[in-house]
Amino acid sequence: MQATLNILGFALYPAMAIVIGGVVALWRPMKPSVISGLQHFAAGVLFCVLAIELLPDLLHRKMPWVTLISFSLGCAVMLVVKHFAEQAEQKSVAQDSQSTSLIMVLGIDILFDGLIIGFGFVAGQKQGLLLTIALALELLFLGLSGAVSLRGAGAGSKRVMLITTGFALLLLSGSWVGVTLLSGASDTLLDAVLAFALAALLYLVTEELLVEAHEVPETSTQTAMFFVGFILLLTIEMFI
């Protein structure tokens, strides 16, 4: 019980990041060029976690069939989520219900992030801590972009903050579920979960953060932020 509470304590940081992103979006929206640079930075941090923690851990476990099946399942799930997100976006345009569709899509994304944080801590304290740092950055931008999109869909400031707070609670719930489901899990199950998380995080880096970061004219400084994020977390990991 105490261990679960400690993990939820760590999960509070990315949950707070969602709320902070919403507050910043409502108070003083950042320039698209600044957001792009920070998204590059967050992508570099996430990619570093994949390279120095998840991939070496999976290689060390040496369960190729479990890894292959679970990684493929993770890819399939993220592609299905992408498909329904696109369908919801098209439907929202047709039925003028963009706000509801956006909430649903963001909620699914945040729930997955919460599960990944919980899974990470079950796999190991260091893995969980690094995933928390990386996802906190990703969720900061998700809260920021989500609040901007909700305002664009006609939601008022109070409603945006209530929804953003709900997202934070959803993340904490996902983390609790992840910890609870995998408490005392076998090595095979942990390998399967790590492979699934690897696919999901690769999707976040390549199909969300970097895609959104490239929607504005890109400068060398913005591109360099990816490598700054990578080397910064790598340096932090050396001291942990």
Side-chain angles (χ1 to χ4, degrees):
M1 182 64 180
Q2 186 61 41
T4 300
L5 291 176
N6 289 338
I7 293 170
L8 289 178
F10 283 110
L12 275 174
Y13 293 101
M16 290 169 58
I18 299 174
V19 177
I20 291 171
V23 171
V24 170
L26 294 176
W27 176 55
R28 183 176 292 179
M30 290 186 287
K31 295 180 180 179
S33 58
V34 175
I35 294 176
S36 176
L38 293 175
Q39 285 173 326
H40 275 89
F41 180 85
V45 170
L46 271 172
F47 195 79
C48 184
V49 173
L50 298 176
I52 67 178
E53 285 298 330
L54 295 189
L55 279 173
D57 198 352
L58 285 170
L59 289 171
H60 177 73
R61 291 173 184 273
K62 296 183 178 180
M63 297 182 184
W65 290 110
V66 175
T67 301
L68 176 61
I69 293 171
S70 298
F71 184 88
S72 300
L73 179 61
C75 291
V77 169
M78 298 310 293
L79 290 174
V80 168
V81 171
K82 177 183 179 182
H83 170 75
F84 282 107
E86 292 173 347
Q87 292 293 316
E89 184 177 353
Q90 294 174 3
K91 186 178 179 181
S92 68
V93 173
Q95 297 183 1
D96 196 25
S97 57
Q98 185 176 357
S99 179
T100 302
S101 299
L102 179 65
I103 292 169
M104 179 184 68
V105 171
L106 291 177
I108 293 172
D109 194 342
I110 290 169
L111 181 61
F112 268 113
D113 288 345
L115 288 169
I116 289 172
I117 290 172
F119 294 162
F121 274 105
V122 172
Q125 183 75 13
K126 184 160 61 169
Q127 289 94 327
L129 181 59
L130 290 175
L131 280 171
T132 299
I133 294 172
L135 286 174
L137 291 171
E138 187 259 335
L139 288 164
L140 175 67
F141 301 118
L142 192 148
L144 180 66
S145 61
V148 170
S149 299
L150 287 169
R151 283 300 299 270
S157 298
K158 179 183 277 189
R159 183 163 184 249
V160 170
M161 286 312 304
L162 285 174
I163 293 171
T164 303
T165 303
F167 285 155
L169 294 175
L170 186 62
L171 177 87
L172 292 173
S173 300
S175 300
W176 178 81
V177 171
V179 173
T180 303
L181 287 178
L182 289 183
S183 181
S186 65
D187 288 341
T188 301
L189 181 57
L190 286 177
D191 185 272
V193 169
L194 284 174
F196 185 96
L198 175 64
L201 291 173
L202 277 172
Y203 179 88
L204 288 177
V205 172
T206 59
E207 294 298 321
E208 289 196 8
L209 283 173
L210 289 180
V211 169
E212 292 180 7
H214 292 157
E215 289 179 353
V216 299
E218 192 172 351
T219 65
S220 298
T221 301
Q222 291 166 331
T223 302
M225 291 302 292
F226 175 90
F227 301 96
V228 172
F230 186 97
I231 192 62
L232 180 61
L233 190 64
L234 179 61
T235 304
I236 292 173
E237 196 273 343
M238 292 178 181
F239 287 100
I240 296 178

